Amino acid sequence: MKLSEQAEDIIERLWIEVEEDGGPFLDPETMFIKPDAESIKELTRNALAELKNGMLYLRAEGREVGRMTVRRHRLAERLMMDVLNLRGETGQMKVCQFEHLLTEGVDTKICTMLNHPTTCPHGKPIPPGECCIEARRSGDLGVVPLTEFKSGQEGEIAYIQTEDNKKMQKLMAMGVLPGNRIVLVQSFPSYIFRVGFSEFAIDTALAKEIFVRRIQP
Amino acid sequence: MSPLEESPEEQHTIRRVALVGNPNVGKSVLFNALTGSYVTVSNYPGTSVEVSRGHVSITGKSWQVIDTPGMYAIHTITEEERVAREILLNEQPDVVLHVLDARNLERMLSMTIQLIEAGLPVVLIVNIMDEAERMGLSFDLTLLQKRLGIPVIAAATAHKRGIEEIKTAIAEFGQSCGLPISYSRLLEADINQVSRLIQKEYVISHRSLSLLLLQGDEEISGIISKKEDEEVYRIIEQNVREIAFERRESFHLNLSMERKEMVSKLLKGVIALPEKQRKTWGERLSNLTMRPLTGIPILLITLYFGLYKFVGSFGAGTLVDLLEGKLFEGLFNPWISKLVNGLIPWWWLQELLVGEYGVITLGIRYAVGIILPIVTTFFIFFSILEDGGYLPRLAMMVDRLFKWFGLSGRAVIPMVLGFGCTTMATMVTRTLETVRERTIATLLLALAIPCSAQLGVILALLAPTPSALLVWIGCMTFIFVVIGILTGRLMPGEAPMFYMELPPMRMPQLSNVITKTYTRLLWYFLEILPLFILASVILWLGKITNSFEKIVNGMVPLMHSIGLPKDVAPAFILGFFRRDYGAAGLYDMQSKGLLDARQLTVAAVTLTLFVPCVAQFLMMQKERGWKIALSIFFFVTTIAFSTGYLLNQLLIATNLLG
């Protein structure tokens, strides 16, 4: 079942109204939508919601769909803010367009890339998906900055995130290249890591820019 | 191209060999083994920033050998790397020896690829084979040679292994061109688009030039813009800009990844790893020095025995007593004075040679009797730390602390060296990454770091009154920290970043320690002995013309304001010629009982903070320019006398030193 964009927006709002804010129903008029709109019919036809006296009620069947829609919206927010650095009104507008693309596994990929975030930029919880539960169960930390490693932990370099080209080149010259094995030897007073048979010391600022994936022993 | 025009004759008759490679791969050791001459061998990336040259004779033909500073890639970032590449570009060596560390073959082979790609005559030296084998690694270098298409030689230059093979390879070097290197279709298209536009011939290949242009190498674009026609360059620039924009997301990363891929293909079947890695004693010690819990005690023990016991007690105490006290004052000076006074009838010449400020009785006595033993012991201590690989570990230990002063841990090396000779340390600040760091380090060196000679004299001066010594140490630390934090806060510019390779720790080798100490001492003496003599002559001139008196009288109000008798003034004037010279002047006065504890402390503090010596000032000017050098000069003078004034008032008010 693929809902229209407007129907997704409505069930998203409905879910937040009922599940998060504890209200009994959603008044479609607050979204400037008439009770007899096509998108509302789409929801009732699919048995996700019920329309009584012009008010929209969430049905048990609609709960999961609503939850996942909210999840996609908040993941999109995180992506806009954290990775693409789009904020304010333009950011919010893009989020509203973008969230509808996050279906069929794209959300899982983005969620993993963002390392299973638990809250949106506004502090609201992001409903966990299967990938999040799986990650938590297996204790997989996903991709984290080197600063999050414990001494002695081994990982694979996932990517370098820096805006400074010179820093990037310096790190690459030290053998910090995606795919290389890296061992964190020590984290205080400076970070010491080993790549190949060489050891390097770097400060916290640089260590934060090296993103590593933990290798399961 | 410039050397070509300067000395066309030399260019044709002299064959050149250049050594290139990462820092800490044994280039300098190989250089020494080939030429048998002296250069600094260093664990700290940067101390070999100056280029060494020597000669080697192979089967009757003479070759010039050039040791270049460490470089990580042909696309250069630091000043040392630029120097290294400039040598490759300008001097057109006939053979380029790329030296790398066998243990890190995989990481370092990327540069070999770049050198081959540049069309340079490369021979690959896989060095430090002994340690790699001890770790259980084994190599099939014949296979690597076949794949690369250039000579590959196994070596352990520290043990003279492979030297003969290297010499043969230099002598027999033919025009092997190395393997053809090709990247992904996308990257190749980019390279082609640029390289077909380049018209003139250069030392390095068009391919290599194109890649460097695409990496945004300003130096290379400068060279090309000068050589190509204006119109041609404009088109090149435009194309480069277009491609750079299109690939802005990850050009550098993709290039590195492709090279990495290439390297792992080249090395397939070349390296066999051991089953299990063994931990060497060096690694265990290395871990101990780097953990704060064990590292700080180790640091303190090192400083106590190294600086206090060896340099302080033995160098500045025992040796100075022996040389200055027994040899000069007891034997040499009376003898030479008698001899000169007997031979030369003129009073002024007697004064110049053996008088109060005589070249022999004062200049040579200070230089040889006091300074020589102190700096020698210091340089021995420093060279042991350096050769053992301790300095980078020290740098990482203090990095957090130094960030407060706007410096990275790397700056600890010039700082520690400053306790030996601040002039030399000022020169070494050029190894710091940013201009901001260099300026801060230069200022702190000029202000609050006493050099070993001065330190030795001041320790001797204040040691009889421990409370005075404590006040002095307190003052120095306070000023260092306060001024450090203030400059760290106020100085504009970006925060420093710290990264450093930690070479394996090893037993310091006697021959290396001797070579390093000798090179430094030689530099030091060539630098300072003329200044000592000059200072003596100026003081002598001042004395016989009485103009010295006038300057001293002029300084009296200043001396009085900080509570010192006017006899101290000459020490300050002397202090500008050599810091230790001034301190030694105080020493003389104290032995005559002219100063009380308070005056002594104030004088010692002011003198330590006071202007760097002439040599250091000149070095500041050379490294940082007139504007900064003069600003530092006035700043330091102001701080020194204000501190002296405040300290004097404080000591009088509290009656701390009686």
Side-chain angles (χ1 to χ4, degrees):
Chain A
M1 163 192 56
K2 174 96 176 85
L3 293 173
S4 69
E5 290 191 8
Q6 202 182 25
E8 279 197 340
D9 287 341
I10 296 171
I11 195 157
E12 188 182 316
R13 275 291 280 279
L14 178 59
W15 189 86
I16 293 171
E17 185 69 35
V18 175
E19 294 289 307
E20 276 188 346
D21 300 346
F25 50 74
L26 176 78
D27 180 358
E29 298 280 345
T30 54
M31 290 180 77
F32 310 105
I33 294 169
K34 294 254 169 331
D36 58 350
E38 185 52 40
S39 47
I40 294 201
K41 281 191 194 129
E42 200 184 331
L43 291 177
T44 50
R45 197 169 51 239
N46 284 305
L48 301 173
E50 234 173 335
L51 194 68
K52 275 188 222 159
N53 306 325
M55 297 297 142
L56 204 56
Y57 291 82
L58 187 65
R59 291 184 56 154
E61 293 87 339
R63 202 163 285 153
E64 186 56 24
V65 178
R67 208 177 79 94
M68 293 318 279
T69 321
V70 169
R71 173 177 152 79
R72 290 197 290 271
H73 177 83
R74 290 180 181 165
L75 277 176
E77 282 184 323
R78 271 251 92 94
L79 186 73
M80 290 297 156
M81 288 275 273
D82 297 1
V83 182
L84 307 181
N85 203 16
L86 286 171
R87 281 150 210 274
E89 214 160 302
T90 39
Q92 203 53 45
M93 249 168 62
K94 295 280 172 217
V95 167
C96 292
Q97 293 165 8
F98 202 80
E99 61 174 294
H100 304 296
L101 303 175
L102 301 187
T103 49
E104 289 147 18
V106 180
D107 57 334
T108 309
K109 287 226 160 106
I110 288 191
C111 188
T112 309
M113 184 184 106
L114 296 172
N115 199 12
H116 313 292
T118 52
T119 54
C120 78
H122 310 96
K124 297 235 179 94
I126 299 176
E130 264 169 44
C131 62
C132 308
I133 295 160
E134 174 59 30
R136 185 176 297 250
R137 199 184 53 74
S138 67
D140 177 14
L141 295 173
V143 176
V144 292
L146 191 61
T147 48
E148 300 308 305
F149 261 31
K150 282 202 242 8
S151 301
Q153 240 174 25
E154 188 170 355
E156 195 185 78
I157 298 160
Y159 56 92
I160 310 167
Q161 194 176 59
T162 171
E163 314 222 317
D164 184 344
N165 242 335
K166 283 206 167 146
K167 259 192 206 172
M168 172 88 112
Q169 289 169 37
K170 210 73 238 187
L171 285 169
M172 291 190 310
M174 297 194 292
V176 179
L177 275 173
N180 275 354
R181 286 283 181 115
I182 186 169
V183 184
L184 186 71
V185 179
Q186 183 180 328
S187 56
F188 188 85
S190 301
Y191 288 87
I192 299 177
F193 65 83
R194 192 182 306 131
V195 171
F197 291 98
S198 300
E199 283 187 356
F200 298 92
I202 51 174
D203 57 18
T204 317
L206 272 176
K208 271 186 190 150
E209 296 177 339
I210 302 173
F211 284 79
V212 282
R213 188 178 295 119
R214 199 181 150 186
I215 295 172
Q216 296 300 327
Chain B
M1 283 280 101
S2 50
L4 247 177
E5 286 143 22
E6 276 163 28
S7 51
E9 233 170 274
E10 208 180 42
Q11 186 71 26
H12 290 296
T13 50
I14 290 187
R15 282 168 293 264
R16 289 191 171 87
V17 184
L19 303 177
V20 298
N22 278 39
N24 305 312
V25 292
K27 283 192 304 293
S28 301
V29 180
L30 174 59
F31 175 81
N32 285 345
L34 283 175
T35 62
S37 74
Y38 288 120
V39 291
T40 311
V41 188
S42 175
N43 261 346
Y44 167 59
T47 35
S48 59
V49 80
E50 291 192 322
V51 180
S52 319
R53 287 161 200 272
H55 281 272
V56 60
S57 179
I58 310 166
T59 57
K61 283 182 188 155
S62 173
W63 293 73
Q64 189 189 54
V65 187
I66 311 165
D67 184 19
T68 67
M71 77 198 278
Y72 283 99
I74 202 163
H75 174 55
T76 57
I77 300 173
T78 62
E79 190 183 334
E80 291 112 77
E81 288 182 307
R82 264 193 291 280
V83 172
R85 192 174 68 182
E86 224 144 84
I87 291 170
L88 292 182
L89 290 178
N90 289 340
E91 312 215 359
Q92 305 184 23
D94 301 275
V95 179
V96 174
L97 300 182
H98 180 210
V99 187
L100 49 68
D101 178 347
R103 294 165 299 180
N104 293 305
L105 191 57
E106 188 161 359
R107 185 162 60 83
M108 296 176 177
L109 201 61
S110 166
M111 196 167 101
T112 319
I113 293 179
Q114 295 171 44
L115 293 170
I116 293 174
E117 186 175 63
L120 293 165
V122 194
V123 173
L124 181 62
I125 314 290
V126 183
N127 199 10
I128 322 190
M129 282 296 274
D130 51 330
E131 284 186 41
E133 281 162 2
R134 208 173 313 138
M135 288 165 80
L137 293 167
S138 55
F139 302 87
D140 183 351
L141 294 184
T142 328
L143 182 62
L144 185 62
Q145 169 158 338
K146 219 170 87 192
R147 285 191 187 153
L148 283 172
I150 57 166
V152 177
I153 298 165
T157 49
H159 303 284
K160 304 266 186 284
R161 185 174 137 194
I163 304 292
E164 284 314 310
E165 288 89 333
I166 293 171
K167 283 187 182 170
T168 317
I170 296 172
E172 290 174 357
F173 191 81
Q175 266 316 318
S176 72
C177 49
L179 84 165
I181 284 156
S182 60
Y183 297 103
S184 65
R185 216 160 40 81
L186 191 67
L187 188 52
E188 282 294 328
D190 291 341
I191 297 172
N192 258 326
Q193 190 182 333
V194 178
S195 69
R196 70 185 163 76
L197 297 171
I198 302 175
Q199 313 243 313
K200 299 277 183 343
E201 285 305 312
Y202 298 85
V203 179
I204 59 175
S205 70
H206 287 183
R207 267 181 79 83
S208 191
L209 288 174
S210 310
L211 272 172
L212 287 167
L213 283 175
L214 290 171
Q215 286 176 85
D217 198 306
E218 282 164 23
E219 219 180 342
I220 294 293
S221 50
I223 292 173
I224 292 179
S225 76
K226 252 183 244 147
K227 208 165 172 187
E228 300 285 341
D229 296 332
E230 210 170 301
E231 182 57 19
V232 172
Y233 180 68
R234 207 185 51 76
I235 297 171
I236 293 175
E237 203 185 14
Q238 193 186 336
N239 275 276
V240 166
R241 216 171 327 161
E242 273 167 25
I243 299 169
F245 182 76
E246 220 155 285
R247 310 262 177 270
R248 65 189 179 280
E249 290 291 317
S250 56
F251 185 83
H252 293 287
L253 184 64
N254 289 350
L255 181 60
S256 298
M257 290 303 279
E258 288 201 21
R259 281 178 179 153
K260 185 190 152 198
E261 203 57 29
M262 217 178 281
V263 167
S264 41
K265 267 192 210 137
L266 281 170
L267 287 182
K268 198 161 275 172
V270 170
I271 305 185
L273 294 171
E275 301 270 295
K276 209 169 157 226
Q277 278 187 40
R278 267 167 295 175
K279 238 189 170 148
T280 61
W281 70 267
E283 278 170 53
R284 284 202 196 95
L285 181 62
S286 161
N287 285 340
L288 288 179
T289 58
M290 295 191 295
R291 303 215 189 289
L293 213 62
T294 45
I296 292 169
I298 290 177
L299 171 63
L300 294 179
I301 291 171
T302 312
L303 290 182
Y304 176 77
F305 282 103
L307 272 190
Y308 189 77
K309 280 284 172 195
F310 183 60
V311 181
S313 301
F314 178 69
T318 317
L319 285 182
V320 169
D321 277 350
L322 200 71
L323 277 173
E324 205 263 347
K326 301 249 158 55
L327 194 70
F328 273 91
E329 296 285 24
L331 295 170
F332 182 74
N333 278 4
W335 172 77
I336 193 88
S337 300
K338 214 171 135 204
L339 187 75
V340 169
N341 290 342
L343 279 176
I344 299 169
W346 305 290
W347 168 80
W348 59 270
L349 194 56
Q350 288 176 1
E351 275 293 315
L352 176 63
L353 293 176
V354 295
E356 189 184 353
Y357 302 120
V359 169
I360 298 173
T361 42
L362 186 95
I364 308 272
R365 173 167 68 92
Y366 275 5
V368 179
I370 301 182
I371 312 305
L372 178 70
I374 300 177
V375 287
T376 308
T377 44
F378 180 84
F379 286 153
I380 291 175
F381 168 64
F382 191 80
S383 302
I384 290 174
L385 289 192
E386 190 183 38
D387 201 53
Y390 184 64
L391 293 178
R393 280 151 183 94
L394 184 59
M396 72 93 351
M397 285 285 287
V398 301
D399 178 59
R400 255 166 217 270
L401 216 65
F402 268 45
K403 288 276 164 69
W404 282 88
F405 310 144
L407 293 170
S408 80
R410 203 170 271 260
V412 81
I413 286 131
M415 289 300 163
V416 173
L417 190 59
F419 283 106
C421 171
T422 38
T423 308
M424 191 183 274
T426 304
M427 187 176 80
V428 171
T429 55
R430 74 165 72 138
T431 58
L432 300 178
E433 201 100 323
T434 59
V435 178
R436 179 174 181 264
E437 273 183 89
R438 293 177 201 170
T439 311
I440 295 178
T442 308
L443 170 67
L444 289 176
L445 280 170
L447 185 66
I449 304 282
C451 64
S452 63
Q454 195 182 25
L455 198 63
V457 181
I458 281 177
L459 284 180
L461 200 62
L462 300 180
T465 358
S467 52
L469 189 61
L470 281 180
V471 171
W472 180 80
I473 293 174
C475 268
M476 285 304 130
T477 318
F478 180 75
I479 293 281
F480 184 87
V481 171
V482 168
I483 299 293
I485 289 176
L486 282 179
T487 43
R489 284 283 150 83
L490 299 178
M491 187 102 153
E494 54 187 322
M497 82 175 153
F498 176 67
Y499 63 89
M500 197 170 220
E501 186 168 352
L502 303 169
M505 282 193 98
R506 59 170 191 205
M507 199 64 185
Q509 287 183 308
L510 187 65
S511 62
N512 283 346
V513 172
I514 291 173
T515 311
K516 285 174 190 182
T517 310
Y518 172 80
T519 327
R520 292 209 166 94
L521 267 182
L522 194 68
W523 180 89
Y524 186 79
F525 257 79
L526 290 177
E527 189 80 13
I528 69 150
L529 203 59
L531 281 167
F532 267 69
I533 291 169
L534 181 72
S536 284
V537 173
I538 292 175
L539 290 167
W540 161 81
L541 262 179
K543 189 184 174 190
I544 62 163
T545 58
N546 283 331
S547 54
F548 196 46
E549 274 295 299
K550 288 182 193 120
I551 303 175
V552 170
N553 285 335
M555 281 182 76
V556 168
L558 194 60
M559 291 296 118
H560 281 315
S561 72
I562 60 173
L564 297 178
K566 78 174 197 127
D567 305 316
V568 183
F572 278 86
I573 298 170
L574 283 169
F576 183 60
F577 288 95
R578 293 293 308 172
R579 280 176 154 193
D580 39 274
Y581 220 61
L586 286 186
Y587 187 74
D588 276 357
M589 246 182 295
Q590 189 228 19
S591 17
K592 288 179 200 147
L594 288 172
L595 298 167
D596 63 28
R598 173 178 55 82
Q599 288 173 322
L600 202 60
T601 315
V602 173
V605 166
T606 316
L607 198 66
T608 318
L609 291 173
F610 182 52
V611 216
C613 64
V614 168
Q616 191 185 353
F617 179 75
L618 291 177
M619 187 58 81
M620 289 202 296
Q621 187 275 323
K622 201 171 131 203
E623 293 287 321
R624 302 285 98 80
W626 278 112
K627 213 175 109 196
I628 290 182
L630 282 174
S631 316
I632 290 180
F633 182 95
F634 287 114
F635 180 74
V636 164
T637 312
T638 316
I639 295 279
F641 284 99
S642 349
T643 310
Y645 176 79
L646 290 175
L647 182 65
N648 187 43
Q649 297 300 325
L650 187 78
L651 290 178
I652 290 174
T654 55
N655 207 16
L656 200 65
L657 296 174

